[in-house]
């Protein structure tokens, strides 16, 4: 089965992805990790990004200057589209390559932060699993782990689908509010034994 996993920033999606691998033996294809590798020092996307946007968006180590690009993308929709035009075909090709490594009968979990926003992923997966929590919880978690200001986190949330939009696209929802890591793993375990999966 092909499972699309998504959730807003700070929802606990990565923790759920790890539990799906550990408890369900799934193959994880992490599109965010693929994107980061493409924009790391020596990453396949970096020559095209530098050609499109200029050297000021390349950090001294040769990686994408994420802070500068985030700032540009928030204020210039055309720049965001241009970056996506470079990255999305590369991410798609690597996603397909990794998914093809699945053993017969093995679930493949596609961890896609912008699954709902992209519009195309619903057709590519058998089930959509959404990890959800209150917005205040998302903000607190992201501020604690990243050092971003509340305003910066809210700006990121504003670029993502709403909680209601994600839940509307879901076949199953894990509400990660007030759960310990152990309880969250138990929720994943219950889901894996449900008729849905």
């Amino acid at each position: 089965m092909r499972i699309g996993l998504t959730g807003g920033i700070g929802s606990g999606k990565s923790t759920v992805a790890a539990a799906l691998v550990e408890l369900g033996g799934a193959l994880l294809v992490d599109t965010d990790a693929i994107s980061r590798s493409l924009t790391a020092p020596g990453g396949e996307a970096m020559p095209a990004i530098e050609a499109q946007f200029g050297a000021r968006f390349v950090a001294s180590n040769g990686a994408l200057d994420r802070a500068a690009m985030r700032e540009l993308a928030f204020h210039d929709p055309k720049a965001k589209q241009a970056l996506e035009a470079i990255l999305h075909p590369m991410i798609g090709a690597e996603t397909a390559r990794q998914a093809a490594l699945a053993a017969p009968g093995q679930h493949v979990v596609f961890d896609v932060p912008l699954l709902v926003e992209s519009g195309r992923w619903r057709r590519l997966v058998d089930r959509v699993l959404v990890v959800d929590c209150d917005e205040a919880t998302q903000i607190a978690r992201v501020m604690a782990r990243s050092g971003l200001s509340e305003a910066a986190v809210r700006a990121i949330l504003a670029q993502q689908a709403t909680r209601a939009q994600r839940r509307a696209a879901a076949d199953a929802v894990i509400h990660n509010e007030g759960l310990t890591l152990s309880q969250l793993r138990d929720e994943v375990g219950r889901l894996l034994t449900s008729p849905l999966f």
Side-chain angles (χ1 to χ4, degrees):
M1 183 175 290
R2 297 163 69 87
I3 302 165
L5 173 65
T6 195
I9 188 171
S11 64
K13 177 176 56 62
S14 298
T15 305
V16 169
L20 287 166
V21 171
E22 186 182 339
L23 301 175
L27 172 71
L28 177 64
V29 179
D30 183 338
T31 61
D32 225 17
I34 291 170
S35 175
R36 285 194 301 273
S37 73
L38 290 169
T39 56
E44 187 183 344
M46 288 311 300
I49 289 172
E50 184 169 4
Q52 175 75 38
F53 297 101
R56 73 187 185 94
F57 291 96
V58 180
S60 59
N61 66 355
L64 175 67
D65 184 332
R66 291 184 171 278
M69 186 57 74
R70 189 183 304 120
E71 183 73 16
L72 177 66
F74 277 149
H75 295 100
D76 184 351
K78 283 192 169 64
K80 183 171 182 278
Q81 289 168 359
L83 180 64
E84 289 171 348
I86 293 167
L87 288 175
H88 285 184
M90 293 180 178
I91 293 169
E94 180 59 16
T95 296
R97 188 194 70 76
Q98 290 186 20
L101 301 175
Q106 184 180 25
H107 287 336
V108 180
V109 175
F110 297 92
D111 182 339
V112 186
L114 301 180
L115 183 146
V116 173
E117 294 87 335
S118 78
R120 67 186 191 90
W121 272 97
R122 176 70 262 195
R123 306 187 302 276
L124 302 176
V125 295
D126 302 306
R127 299 283 188 274
V128 171
L129 172 58
V130 168
V131 186
D132 185 47
C133 67
D134 296 342
E135 188 173 284
T137 302
Q138 290 179 266
I139 292 168
R141 286 175 181 163
V142 176
M143 286 176 66
R145 77 179 186 213
S146 69
L148 291 173
S149 67
E150 181 176 341
V153 179
R154 287 190 181 279
I156 293 169
L157 287 172
Q159 298 286 316
Q160 298 186 339
T162 65
R163 292 175 63 204
Q165 287 169 327
R166 274 192 294 271
R167 288 195 304 262
D171 295 298
V173 177
I174 291 179
H175 193 64
N176 183 21
E177 190 65 48
L179 300 180
T180 64
L181 285 176
S182 176
Q183 289 169 333
L184 183 57
R185 281 169 47 83
D186 288 346
E187 286 293 309
V188 173
R190 273 193 285 277
L191 188 68
L192 285 168
T193 59
S194 74
L196 191 63
F197 291 92

